[in-house]
Amino acid sequence: MSAARHRAMTLAEFLAWEERQELRYEFDGSAPVAMTGGTIAHDRITFNLQRSLDARLAGSRCRPFGPNVKIMTAGRVRYPDAFVTCVPVDPTATVADAPVVVFEVISDDTARTDRIEKLREYQATASIRRYAILEQKSIGAMVFARKGEDWVVTALTEPDTLDLPKIGIAIPMSELYAGLQLASSEQDVQPEAR
């Protein structure tokens, strides 16, 4: 049995190739990775997040983007569910520079990538100050914040507020999950009554 070997793509080759594609692809450093569709919960959380960011950042120099705008991290290309940049952006650009805060809504299929691979990439990107991984099956998030050379993680649930001091805003967790009937993360770990 012979296995066909494919040569790894360079970042430049990927960017040229992607321009000709109808679908969106991320680049993992050597090959394209197709972006698949999401769930109703994923769509609602992303919508609520974009709406909350847009309303709170109105009039500031910071702007939210995603999920159709890409960022480059550690030689890779990612399409975060949402991110914020505070530098001027060319409206015709397909890549936004200097993301400050990045958000991913996690799913079973993307859990490892979001929690490990993207975390490492975002930590290696100097402009990124916070990375929030939002759950979609329950109300909860893990927020990674840069503190000097270190990163500190905080777990958030329904009664908490997602603080984003680098862009001067805070968002109640319940606002991000409005319109969804989900258990809070704290309810998920409650023992059953007998």
Side-chain angles (χ1 to χ4, degrees):
M1 176 194 304
S2 72
R5 289 194 171 241
H6 294 282
R7 183 180 63 80
M9 273 184 164
T10 66
L11 178 58
E13 288 170 335
F14 168 79
L15 292 171
W17 174 85
E18 188 198 27
E19 284 182 21
R20 300 183 309 270
Q21 306 308 307
E22 288 184 35
L23 303 176
R24 288 184 308 142
Y25 290 84
E26 289 189 333
F27 180 63
D28 69 3
S30 64
V33 178
M35 302 296 296
T36 60
T39 64
I40 297 295
H42 186 284
D43 189 67
R44 176 52 49 183
I45 296 162
T46 302
F47 173 80
N48 290 342
L49 174 60
Q50 288 284 350
R51 185 179 58 195
S52 297
L53 290 169
D54 200 48
R56 285 171 173 81
L57 293 171
S60 84
R61 66 186 183 94
C62 300
R63 293 282 169 256
F65 293 97
N68 296 312
V69 177
K70 59 185 161 247
I71 62 173
M72 293 199 200
T73 61
R76 291 164 171 80
V77 174
R78 298 298 186 184
Y79 284 92
D81 290 313
F83 67 92
V84 175
T85 186
C86 299
V87 298
V89 228
D90 176 352
T92 64
T94 60
V95 177
D97 294 325
V100 177
V101 182
V102 178
F103 304 88
E104 295 286 1
V105 179
I106 202 165
S107 68
D108 292 340
D109 293 342
T110 65
R112 183 184 193 295
T113 301
D114 291 341
R115 288 189 174 127
I116 298 172
E117 295 170 28
K118 288 183 181 180
L119 173 60
R120 287 182 179 159
E121 292 170 28
Y122 296 158
Q123 287 174 329
T125 304
S127 66
I128 297 176
R129 310 309 294 170
R130 289 199 188 244
Y131 172 40
I133 300 173
L134 303 168
E135 298 291 326
Q136 74 169 292
K137 291 184 177 179
S138 62
I139 301 171
M142 298 297 289
V143 182
F144 298 85
R146 191 182 299 269
K147 300 273 184 173
E149 294 297 314
D150 297 323
W151 284 78
V152 177
V153 64
T154 305
L156 302 178
T157 58
E158 187 172 11
D160 297 320
T161 298
L162 175 58
D163 291 318
L164 304 167
K166 290 294 180 187
I167 57 174
I169 66 170
I171 305 170
M173 287 293 291
S174 58
E175 188 174 311
L176 299 177
Y177 292 87
L180 292 171
Q181 298 299 317
L182 300 174
S184 73
S185 294
E186 292 172 345
Q187 291 171 329
D188 291 343
V189 295
Q190 298 284 332
E192 287 185 27
R194 295 183 183 222

